[in-house]
Structures are given as structure tokens and as C-alpha cells.
Amino acid sequence: MNILAFGPNGSGKGTQGAIVKKKYGLDHIESGAIFREHIKGGTELGLKAKEYIDEGNLVPDDLTIPMVLETLANSKENGWLLDGFPRSLAQAEALDKALTESGMKLDYVIEIVLDRDIAKERIMGRRLCANDNNHPNHIAFDAIKPVEKDGELVCRVCGGELSARADDQDEAAINKRHNIYYDDVTGTMAAVNYFKNNTDAKIISIDGSKGIKEISEELISQLP
Ligand SMILES: [Zn+2]
């Protein structure tokens, strides 16, 4: 079973991908990891990609697509779940073509649908516990809201000190990523629509405003 997973930053796509991967024994392939693997392995494509990355530029599609394809072709027998790629309409078209040419079938496209403002709130509201990374705290969710102690917000599980990841508070960076994701002309939403309208893959659209457990249950109920 081969799956593409879409969802904006803040939609919990990574978490859901991990749940699906585990249940079906798939390879969870994340686009950033593909670059890292090729660069670490010193492949020809990896070396070329590194030049772009080192200069702070986007790796062009004619390098990215073959890297993605190679990784997919080497994946587990049970199939793969590709996450974070394609990000644009052009990449979607190229990936579709490359999959067809290589005889690989795309079975499902998972789309986690979430309003842009909520996605941003979800990213910015995450808090880390100084004592344990596995103590979830979030200022926008009642179920895991930090508690107040001496006028400070502390971990709701252990009372530990809380902090926010710098990345999560970088509004400009979040906006930049969301600009690409929510662009339905040439961006990621256009890629999602491409798969909806031009391929035989089954589309599973899930309301991302629900909780992690509800989303994963709904998702799995729609997979075989
Ligand atoms: Zn804690």
C-alpha cells in the first residue's frame, strides 16, 4: 500500500503518519530525511543537492524527484507513506509521471484539512516541559492546558518549567511555510487537487480540528 500524506504544519500530519506507518508496517518517508540520506551517502544527486542547500536555496525538482523515486523504490515490501513531498503542483505532476513510468501505484492520498489560523495557533501554543518531553502542554487545548503556579504557567503533569521552541514562535517562518501549503494555484493545495482530479488514488480527507485519537481512528477506518 502506497500513500501520500498532506497537511499543513500544525495539523499533526507527522503524528498521524507515524500511527499509520506502524499499523501497516510501511516505510514512513519524510522529504527532509531523503535529502539527509543522499547527502550522508555521498550519492551524486546528494552532492548536487548539498550545493543548493549550503547556499540556502531550494533544491530543484530535477534533483528532488529522482531522489524521492529512488527512496520509494528501495522501500519495504508493504509499501510507503510519503510525507512532505510534493509541495507544489509541478512536483505533483512530475511525481505522478515518475510513479507511472516506474510502475509504482499510488493507492491513497491522505489530506488533513485544517484552517490556516488554527494551524498557526497549534504551532505557536506548544510548550515543552523541562523535565519530560513526553508531557504534552498546549495553551490552546483545554485537555492539555498548562496549569498556573505562582503566576507562571507550569507543566500540567509534573509542575515542571515550560518553554516554547524558538522555531514554533517564528511567525515569519510559519507564514512562509503556510503560504506555500495553502496556495491552491501552484502550491501544495494545488498538488492535493491534482491528485484528486487526475489520478485513481483514493482520497481520504480528514477534519484536522479534532483530537489526535479521533483523527487516527477516522483515518484507519477508511484504510483497508
Ligand atoms: Zn512535566
Side-chain angles (χ1 to χ4, degrees):
M1 180 162 66
N2 298 327
I3 303 175
L4 273 184
F6 290 102
N9 268 91
S11 67
K13 171 175 56 97
T15 306
Q16 296 301 333
I19 293 169
V20 171
K21 164 217 151 122
K22 201 172 159 209
K23 179 159 169 64
Y24 296 96
L26 305 174
D27 257 348
H28 188 182
I29 298 167
E30 183 255 323
S31 63
I34 296 178
F35 289 132
R36 286 193 294 274
E37 230 169 71
H38 278 264
I39 291 168
K40 206 174 140 202
T43 68
E44 200 190 323
L45 292 167
L47 292 174
K48 283 188 192 158
K50 189 173 183 296
E51 288 176 25
Y52 287 91
I53 293 169
D54 285 348
E55 294 192 0
N57 294 318
L58 283 176
V59 181
D61 290 351
D62 57 354
L63 287 180
T64 306
I65 302 270
M67 272 194 261
V68 171
L69 218 60
E70 202 179 302
T71 306
L72 296 181
N74 291 330
S75 68
K76 287 182 189 158
E77 215 178 297
N78 291 343
W80 43 259
L81 184 143
L82 179 60
D83 176 346
F85 188 89
R87 277 176 211 264
S88 68
L89 176 60
Q91 288 179 342
E93 289 170 345
L95 179 68
D96 180 34
K97 187 166 168 263
L99 286 176
T100 306
E101 282 169 7
S102 68
M104 262 188 276
K105 187 172 179 278
L106 176 63
D107 300 294
Y108 292 92
V109 172
I110 295 169
E111 178 196 19
I112 301 182
V113 180
L114 190 62
D115 184 80
R116 184 170 176 159
D117 293 336
I118 299 175
K120 188 167 163 182
E121 191 181 52
R122 287 200 167 179
I123 298 168
M124 299 192 76
R126 291 194 279 236
R127 294 293 178 269
L128 298 174
C129 169
N131 298 329
D132 192 332
N133 272 335
N134 295 315
H135 290 171
N137 287 269
H138 199 295
I139 57 175
F141 294 114
D142 286 340
I144 53 170
K145 220 175 204 139
V147 293
E148 209 179 307
K149 191 184 145 201
D150 305 328
E152 299 257 333
L153 290 177
V154 295
C155 174
R156 48 175 258 285
V157 182
C158 71
E161 228 176 275
L162 292 178
S163 63
R165 270 177 46 191
D167 282 4
D168 289 348
Q169 304 306 309
D170 186 344
E171 226 178 317
I174 295 168
N175 287 340
K176 202 172 157 189
R177 286 199 296 269
H178 281 168
N179 282 342
I180 297 170
Y181 189 84
Y182 288 97
D183 174 353
D184 60 5
V185 180
T186 59
T188 312
M189 283 308 303
V192 178
N193 292 334
Y194 174 84
F195 287 101
K196 280 184 185 168
N197 299 328
N198 299 285
T199 70
D200 295 331
K202 186 170 182 256
I203 311 291
I204 301 176
S205 289
I206 303 275
D207 175 3
S209 68
K210 296 176 182 168
I212 291 174
K213 196 160 171 276
E214 283 172 286
I215 294 177
S216 67
E217 280 170 1
E218 195 182 328
L219 189 50
I220 283 167
S221 78
Q222 295 198 49
L223 288 166

